[in-house]
Amino acid sequence: MDKNQKQIIANNKKAYHDYFVLETYEAGIELFGTEIKSIRNGRVNLKDSFCSVDDGEMFVIGMHISPYEQGNRFNRDPMRKKRLLHKKEIMKLFGASQQQGLSIIPLRLYIFKGRAKLEIGLCKGKKLYDKRAVQAKKDSDRAIERAMKGNY
């Protein structure tokens, strides 16, 4: 695999189901050695994770990185807060997230040029009727696609 390509490790499908993504940003993550090894093995889960700002620093909370098998005593807590590194946009995102109903949600984790990057999104929560409308549109698109193929 080319080093300049994005190698997607994990997607947060639940975020796209529960939120409208308004804007996306890229941020680096502060990780320890065994954590990056576990991420490269694909042993990470973004489901139910979110970002919060404390003292001018942004953290990912709820991102589960499974312990590395050969890591023994060097393994860290799988659910610890992980600091994001992208100072210039943190305050902009923090200000926007203070608005009614906006959250900062991790969307995708990938490796780019040998470094782990997290795509975070400024998101607005969906209501139940929004989720139903999206599902109805997907179902109708699928039915139209089947009819076009002739496999009804």
Side-chain angles (χ1 to χ4, degrees):
M1 169 161 240
D2 187 21
K3 223 172 165 59
N4 291 332
Q5 274 187 315
K6 286 184 185 179
Q7 178 187 357
I8 296 174
I9 305 296
N11 280 317
N12 190 353
K13 292 180 184 176
K14 189 175 183 201
Y16 289 103
H17 182 262
D18 292 342
Y19 298 96
F20 292 114
V21 179
L22 305 176
E23 296 179 46
T24 59
Y25 300 93
E26 179 182 86
I29 315 171
E30 184 179 53
L31 296 169
F32 292 97
T34 55
E35 288 176 324
I36 190 66
K37 289 178 182 182
S38 189
I39 285 174
R40 288 176 199 265
N41 287 339
R43 299 177 47 88
V44 63
N45 186 356
L46 294 176
K47 190 175 170 184
D48 297 329
S49 61
F50 62 96
C51 297
S52 70
V53 177
D54 298 329
D55 298 327
E57 295 180 332
M58 187 176 289
F59 294 92
V60 176
I61 299 170
M63 182 170 94
H64 186 275
I65 300 175
S66 298
Y68 185 59
E69 279 102 25
Q70 289 83 30
N72 57 42
R73 65 180 181 176
F74 299 109
N75 280 330
R76 303 291 172 143
D77 177 26
M79 295 297 287
R80 75 174 183 87
K81 292 189 334 184
K82 291 134 189 103
R83 186 165 56 141
L84 296 181
L85 311 169
H86 215 272
K87 290 265 186 194
K88 60 185 172 185
E89 291 175 341
I90 287 175
M91 296 320 286
K92 177 183 171 186
L93 280 169
F94 179 66
S97 71
Q98 294 304 311
Q99 292 178 15
Q100 187 72 14
L102 295 182
S103 304
I104 305 168
I105 306 294
L107 302 174
R108 183 176 296 130
L109 179 72
Y110 55 89
I111 305 280
F112 183 66
K113 293 186 179 179
R115 306 219 182 248
K117 301 287 184 181
L118 189 68
E119 183 178 289
I120 56 178
L122 186 62
C123 302
K124 181 175 175 36
K126 286 184 182 177
K127 304 280 191 237
L128 184 59
Y129 57 83
D130 291 329
K131 293 178 190 177
R132 286 184 186 145
V134 168
Q135 188 62 42
K137 183 173 178 358
K138 282 184 184 178
D139 290 343
S140 66
D141 289 346
R142 204 173 299 128
I144 290 169
E145 194 67 35
R146 261 191 238 120
M148 294 288 280
K149 281 185 174 180
N151 297 339
Y152 17 90

